[in-house]
Amino acid sequence: MNILTQASEVEILLKDYNKRYDSEHVINFLTKSYYAKSNLRKIFEKHENWNEEAQAVIGFYEWLPKIDCQKYFRMINNCEFIPTDIKYFLRNISLSPIIENEEHLNYYCRYNNLETKAKSGQKLTRFLTALFSELDLKNAMGTREELNNYTGKIKTINVYEKWFVELSETFNMKRIKMNCSVSIHPMDFLNMSNGNSWSSCHNLEDGGWQAGTMSYSLDEYSFIFTVYDNKNGEKSYNCPKFARQIFAYSEGKILQSRFYPAKSEYRGEYELISDIVKDIINVGEGYNGSWTRKDNTVFKMSNKSLGYNDVYHSENEVMLHVAEFIECNDTINICNQNAYCLHCGNKLEETNSLTCEYCNNCTCFHCGSEESEENMYYNEGNNELYCGDCIRYCDDCGELLFEGWNIEYLDDMTLCCNCINNYFECEECNCIVHVNDLYYDDYSDRSLCGYCYDRIQETNENK
């Protein structure tokens, strides 16, 4: 693995997000990350699918597509045979293929005087079948005749059955084979919120916890599982992610953090993903493959970390897997590393930037002084920022002006490039006059200020 190659890729990413950086500190960050991940690398590289360039175990994953919520809502809303109150109920249920909370559904059934009952663990389509049967949708929708395009014959179809088959397709849980990686590459952490159709607070655009991507990169325990589509042949860490999940490993203990995108229909993926990770750990550590899930464990994220504390805010979505021969304490500490400014190298104190407070200051394009972004003025003309000392306002129209760009000075006036064309020099006394205050003297064929015009007119009258 080449640190300089990594550095060039990271710098391209930082430029894409308009981040300030210094090449020396980017290399320092990557070097620290490389050594921090040494133990994990020794484990991962024993797996047959280890990819040195990607710094990841690359494989395939049977990805579960998301539920087509828009189609579901549209079909429910457009069905004239479902009562309005029931439509409201059906639009507000949890769209998971498997019912997780029967109490919620049963409450709405009782509220709407329905006898249909749900059971946790039951398929949602089975519950809907019973519900629609009670509503007698089959008879209400009736039948209609349709032309079979292949046989050319007219066929009578049951409208409800065709409608319900299409509705059920929104819950189609047929898995798709996709690429996946279990990675320690810094680019995977920096890109961890580069989702296919989702984002999180770690995104580099405006994420409130974007500095956490560096804390995870520098932590000796953390690695990341991603599902991605590599149709265009890009490197795994540059591909938009369908899903990702942070893990931590130490001495026979695997911490499985929150799954993103954070949707209830993906809860069933935890076990499948953990099996992939366990297989990699088993190969690297020489374990026999027996793991148990341990509940009632307290997870503590170090106060050094600048990452969003999923293990605290989403405690019910965090799992601990322990190899059978390992003694496990009730408290597990994770992500114990600081992050450092990519521009100057100082320790970061805030979570919302990859650079420190000082380096977050912007440089004035004209004079080079540094100010916080909130005190700068943006010039749309050249996409640059200017400090307060380098901006003016046109005395004529009030337009915001920028030194060295669109300011014109005339006598003691500050003017924009348009308004300066409204001022002319009196051809008698050479003073500057606005076009509205300029007079044309037919006798002398000159443009004059009001004072000179009156004086010359008076002189001509006396002759």
Side-chain angles (χ1 to χ4, degrees):
M1 188 206 69
N2 190 314
I3 294 289
L4 294 179
T5 300
Q6 276 192 4
S8 65
E9 293 175 325
V10 169
E11 290 182 11
I12 290 173
L13 179 69
L14 296 175
K15 288 177 182 177
D16 286 343
Y17 286 96
N18 297 315
K19 302 296 184 184
R20 298 187 75 187
Y21 68 89
D22 179 87
S23 295
E24 177 184 353
H25 294 297
V26 170
I27 292 174
N28 288 343
F29 159 64
L30 295 172
T31 302
K32 289 177 182 178
S33 176
Y34 178 82
Y35 287 108
K37 304 298 186 187
S38 294
N39 289 334
L40 288 174
R41 186 177 295 102
K42 290 177 182 178
I43 295 171
F44 290 177
E45 64 187 7
K46 293 178 182 179
H47 197 278
E48 62 180 353
N49 292 331
W50 169 255
N51 183 300
E52 181 67 19
E53 182 184 21
Q55 290 289 287
V57 177
I58 303 293
F60 294 98
Y61 183 74
E62 297 292 330
W63 172 241
L64 184 70
K66 68 177 183 179
I67 290 174
D68 191 346
C69 299
Q70 295 302 318
K71 182 178 180 181
Y72 169 84
F73 292 141
R74 186 171 60 251
M75 292 188 68
I76 293 297
N77 287 335
N78 293 341
C79 182
E80 60 182 302
F81 301 101
I82 300 177
T84 301
D85 291 345
I86 306 301
K87 284 184 179 181
Y88 176 82
F89 158 43
L90 292 174
R91 287 195 301 265
N92 286 277
I93 65 176
S94 177
L95 291 182
S96 174
I98 303 298
I99 295 173
E100 298 176 354
N101 184 355
E102 62 183 57
E103 294 181 2
H104 175 73
L105 294 176
N106 289 334
Y107 167 79
Y108 274 105
C109 285
R110 291 193 301 270
Y111 182 83
N112 289 283
N113 299 314
L114 297 170
E115 296 182 0
T116 303
K117 292 185 178 180
K119 292 183 179 180
S120 296
Q122 179 185 34
K123 288 184 178 181
L124 181 58
T125 51
R126 180 170 293 184
F127 167 77
L128 293 176
T129 299
L131 177 64
F132 294 150
S133 176
E134 184 174 351
L135 294 174
D136 200 23
L137 289 190
K138 187 172 184 177
N139 289 327
M141 290 185 172
T143 60
R144 71 166 178 260
E145 292 184 341
E146 284 188 358
L147 176 66
N148 188 311
N149 292 327
Y150 295 100
T151 65
K153 297 181 179 180
I154 301 296
K155 181 181 179 180
T156 301
I157 65 165
N158 185 296
V159 177
Y160 166 77
E161 290 179 356
K162 185 174 182 178
W163 177 84
F164 188 73
V165 167
E166 187 176 353
L167 182 72
S168 299
E169 288 177 353
T170 64
F171 300 96
N172 182 9
M173 294 294 105
K174 184 179 180 180
R175 292 183 173 272
I176 303 171
K177 190 175 184 179
M178 301 195 68
N179 302 92
C180 73
S181 74
V182 178
S183 173
I184 55 174
H185 199 296
M187 283 285 286
D188 268 314
F189 290 107
L190 291 171
N191 267 325
M192 64 192 290
S193 285
N194 177 20
N196 204 46
S197 59
W198 57 273
S199 184
S200 82
C201 60
H202 287 101
N203 80 82
L204 299 186
E205 181 72 33
D206 55 7
W209 299 83
Q210 55 188 279
T213 62
M214 297 174 66
S215 286
Y216 282 121
S217 299
L218 297 171
D219 174 50
E220 61 183 300
Y221 308 116
S222 300
F223 57 96
I224 184 169
F225 172 89
T226 64
V227 179
Y228 61 94
D229 190 350
N230 198 15
K231 290 181 180 178
N232 298 324
E234 297 181 29
K235 294 176 180 178
S236 58
Y237 43 76
N238 285 330
C239 296
K241 297 166 178 56
F242 282 85
R244 62 97 167 156
Q245 194 166 32
I246 290 288
F247 283 79
Y249 173 74
S250 177
E251 299 177 339
K253 299 182 287 290
I254 299 173
L255 172 71
Q256 185 174 15
S257 189
R258 192 182 189 188
F259 184 92
Y260 284 87
K263 296 179 180 293
S264 60
E265 61 260 35
Y266 294 137
R267 300 280 172 80
E269 304 300 291
Y270 278 59
E271 184 175 351
L272 298 174
I273 296 171
S274 68
D275 286 343
I276 294 174
V277 172
K278 290 172 189 175
D279 174 66
I280 296 172
I281 301 297
N282 286 338
V283 172
E285 295 279 51
Y287 293 161
N288 63 10
S290 181
W291 296 78
T292 58
R293 177 178 165 182
K294 185 175 177 62
D295 296 318
N296 301 319
T297 301
V298 177
F299 304 106
K300 288 187 176 181
M301 181 175 278
S302 169
N303 56 13
K304 294 181 180 180
S305 172
L306 298 179
Y308 182 75
N309 196 344
D310 273 323
V311 298
Y312 174 78
H313 295 289
S314 307
E315 188 176 356
N316 62 330
E317 298 180 46
V318 179
M319 301 178 184
L320 181 68
H321 309 277
V322 182
E324 65 174 353
F325 56 89
I326 297 294
E327 292 292 331
C328 182
N329 298 325
D330 292 333
T331 301
I332 302 295
N333 295 304
I334 61 171
C335 200
N336 61 354
Q337 287 301 319
N338 295 310
Y340 300 88
C341 175
L342 289 179
H343 187 254
C344 73
N346 287 335
K347 187 175 76 169
L348 295 179
E349 302 293 343
E350 302 296 330
T351 64
N352 62 351
S353 177
L354 303 185
T355 48
C356 66
E357 182 179 4
Y358 175 78
C359 293
N360 279 337
N361 286 343
C362 300
T363 302
C364 175
F365 180 73
H366 181 71
C367 72
S369 65
E370 293 193 345
E371 299 279 352
S372 62
E373 186 174 359
E374 63 185 14
N375 292 326
M376 302 293 275
Y377 297 82
Y378 177 64
N379 180 0
E380 293 183 357
N382 61 359
N383 295 321
E384 297 291 350
L385 295 172
Y386 291 72
C387 69
D389 292 334
C390 293
I391 62 104
R392 303 286 186 272
Y393 292 92
C394 177
D395 290 334
D396 207 17
C397 69
E399 179 187 349
L400 177 63
L401 307 176
F402 303 91
E403 287 283 8
W405 178 256
N406 60 350
I407 288 183
E408 299 285 351
Y409 292 105
L410 194 60
D411 278 0
D412 58 349
M413 293 184 294
T414 302
L415 301 169
C416 69
C417 298
N418 291 324
C419 289
I420 196 170
N421 296 320
N422 295 330
Y423 289 85
F424 296 87
E425 191 177 76
C426 172
E427 294 182 66
E428 173 69 17
C429 69
N430 299 324
C431 72
I432 301 300
V433 183
H434 191 276
V435 65
N436 293 337
D437 298 321
L438 200 63
Y439 298 87
Y440 179 71
D441 178 39
D442 292 330
Y443 182 79
S444 62
D445 189 26
R446 292 184 300 171
S447 296
L448 306 171
C449 67
Y451 174 79
C452 291
Y453 178 81
D454 290 341
R455 183 173 55 81
I456 291 175
Q457 291 295 313
E458 184 178 350
T459 299
N460 291 336
E461 290 175 359
N462 293 331
K463 287 183 178 180

